[in-house]
């Protein structure tokens, strides 16, 4: 199995890129949810 | 939420099966040997990226026509997911090229047009950070997105119109091209798996964009009080 290291590197780096992208979506979603909660509290306090 | 987790599990399951098929079911290629198995990750990811850019293009046109924010959300979503796919293509390509061609990179028609595509969609996303007003941002990025899509058919045609370093197409390549029947089945299964995975990312990213819009509305309401 020649060049197995290259195949392994390609799959690992490739899936690593997708994983990091997915994590960035999860992080940004969580940050926005926290922001929604903060804004809800602000709006309710002003009512 | 449960439906999204199920969709994610199906997408990950399909790409895992595609990787298994690439290593254990697809036969060995005569001239390249084992390294050619990157093909089952590299090419389907490129196809998924280009399909995603096509959806982005349609969403951009629909935004210009109808001015509904949902089309803008879909446009930016597909631009990001497509960019992730093309990033993977630009990484896996040189890893495959080095043992086969003896070089990591060359400025041939296919490689250059793919690199330009990557730059264009980075510009699309950068443009969005430069405009604060939502409607103006959506319109400008939709117009730029329509322009950026022009490169997708060039990427597709590059290995058909010009004979340079990148191999000629084995799918839709005309007479003399083609794949072994087992290779073809594994390839199209990998294409399906990558498209389902891209669709999963699109759903997740779209929901993020929707939440961002809700936050903007709430922030405006909070400011008005």
């Amino acid at each position: 199995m020649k060049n197995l290291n290259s195949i392994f590197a390609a799959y690992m780096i490739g899936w690593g890129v997708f994983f990091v992208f997915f994590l960035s979506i999860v992080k940004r979603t969580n940050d926005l949810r926290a922001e929604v909660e903060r804004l809800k509290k602000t709006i309710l306090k002003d009512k | 939420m449960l439906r999204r987790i199920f969709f994610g599990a199906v997408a990950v399951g399909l790409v895992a099966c595609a990787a298994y098929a690439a290593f254990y079911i697809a036969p060995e290629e005569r001239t390249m040997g084992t390294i050619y198995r990157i093909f089952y990750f590299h090419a389907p990811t490129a196809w998924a990226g280009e399909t995603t850019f096509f959806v982005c293009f349609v969403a951009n046109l629909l935004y210009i026509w109808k001015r509904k924010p949902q089309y803008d959300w879909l446009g930016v979503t597909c631009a990001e997911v497509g960019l992730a796919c093309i990033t993977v293509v630009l990484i896996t390509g040189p890893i495959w090229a080095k043992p086969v061609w003896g070089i990591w990179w060359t400025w041939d028609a296919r490689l250059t047009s793919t690199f330009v595509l990557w730059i264009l969609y980075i510009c699309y996303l950068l443009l969005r950070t430069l405009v604060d007003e939502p409607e103006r941002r959506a319109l400008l990025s939709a117009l730029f997105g329509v322009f950026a899509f022009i490169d997708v058919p060039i990427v597709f045609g590059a290995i058909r119109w010009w004979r340079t370093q990148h191999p000629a197409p084995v799918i839709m390549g005309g007479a003399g091209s083609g794949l072994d029947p087992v290779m073809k089945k594994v390839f199209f299964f990998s294409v399906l798996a990558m498209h389902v995975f891209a669709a999963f990312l699109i759903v997740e990213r779209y929901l993020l964009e929707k939440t961002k819009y809700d936050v903007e509305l709430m922030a405006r309401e909070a400011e008005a009080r």
Side-chain angles (χ1 to χ4, degrees):
Chain A
M1 290 283 245
K2 220 177 134 196
N3 295 314
L4 207 61
N5 286 348
S6 298
I7 301 175
F8 184 71
Y11 273 79
M12 288 307 288
I13 298 171
W15 284 112
V17 168
F18 282 127
F19 186 66
V20 168
F21 178 59
F22 179 68
L23 281 186
S24 87
I25 294 174
V26 172
K27 196 199 168 294
R28 284 181 284 172
T29 306
N30 288 341
D31 290 350
L32 280 175
R33 280 196 189 134
E35 182 71 9
V36 167
E37 289 308 311
R38 194 188 65 77
L39 285 168
K40 263 184 195 167
K41 277 180 195 160
T42 311
I43 292 167
L44 283 174
K45 212 195 304 175
D46 291 347
K47 265 189 181 173
Chain B
M1 186 66 185
L2 209 63
R3 215 183 286 173
R4 279 164 58 199
I5 293 171
F6 177 73
F7 188 25
V10 168
V12 171
L14 278 173
V15 290
C17 289
Y20 176 84
F23 282 97
Y24 297 104
I25 297 174
E28 193 89 336
E29 206 265 350
R30 214 180 302 148
T31 49
M32 285 185 278
T34 310
I35 192 72
Y36 103 98
R37 292 177 199 278
I38 292 179
F39 167 67
Y40 298 105
F41 183 36
H42 176 78
T45 307
W47 282 33
E50 284 173 12
T51 307
T52 307
F53 285 144
F54 177 71
V55 178
C56 176
F57 169 70
V58 173
N60 289 330
L61 284 179
L62 286 170
Y63 182 81
I64 294 166
W65 183 27
K66 304 222 171 184
R67 304 291 166 101
K68 284 187 178 170
Q70 288 84 349
Y71 295 125
D72 179 51
W73 306 344
L74 186 62
V76 64
T77 292
C78 290
E80 263 193 28
V81 175
L83 192 62
C85 291
I86 296 303
T87 304
V88 171
V89 170
L90 287 174
I91 292 169
T92 55
I95 296 174
W96 186 8
K98 180 65 180 160
V100 178
W101 299 344
I103 46 169
W104 293 101
W105 184 267
T106 179
W107 294 102
D108 93 326
R110 168 55 77 86
L111 275 66
T112 306
S113 56
T114 307
F115 183 69
V116 169
L117 186 68
W118 187 71
I119 297 283
L120 281 169
Y121 280 91
I122 285 179
C123 291
Y124 175 96
L125 295 176
L126 278 177
L127 177 69
R128 297 182 65 88
T129 65
L130 300 175
V131 187
D132 286 331
E133 207 261 307
E135 283 82 24
R136 195 171 144 76
R137 177 178 61 213
L139 181 61
L140 280 175
S141 57
L143 290 168
F144 186 80
V146 171
F147 163 73
F149 185 77
I150 294 170
D151 194 34
V152 173
I154 296 173
V155 171
F156 178 81
I159 50 173
R160 291 164 176 85
W161 304 329
W162 303 291
R163 280 293 346 111
T164 52
Q165 184 75 39
H166 194 283
V170 287
I171 308 284
M172 292 182 280
S177 72
L179 274 177
D180 166 271
V182 179
M183 286 179 176
K184 198 183 245 180
K185 277 181 196 158
V186 174
F187 175 74
F188 279 109
F189 180 72
S190 304
V191 169
L192 171 77
M194 280 315 299
H195 276 79
V196 173
F197 185 73
F200 165 69
L201 290 177
I202 287 170
V203 169
E204 294 299 312
R205 181 61 185 80
Y206 183 86
L207 291 171
L208 165 66
E209 203 57 33
K210 187 183 176 303
T211 313
K212 208 186 272 182
Y213 183 80
D214 292 341
V215 167
E216 270 175 23
L217 283 184
M218 285 174 84
R220 269 187 229 167
E221 195 187 330
E223 261 173 40
R225 281 169 188 276

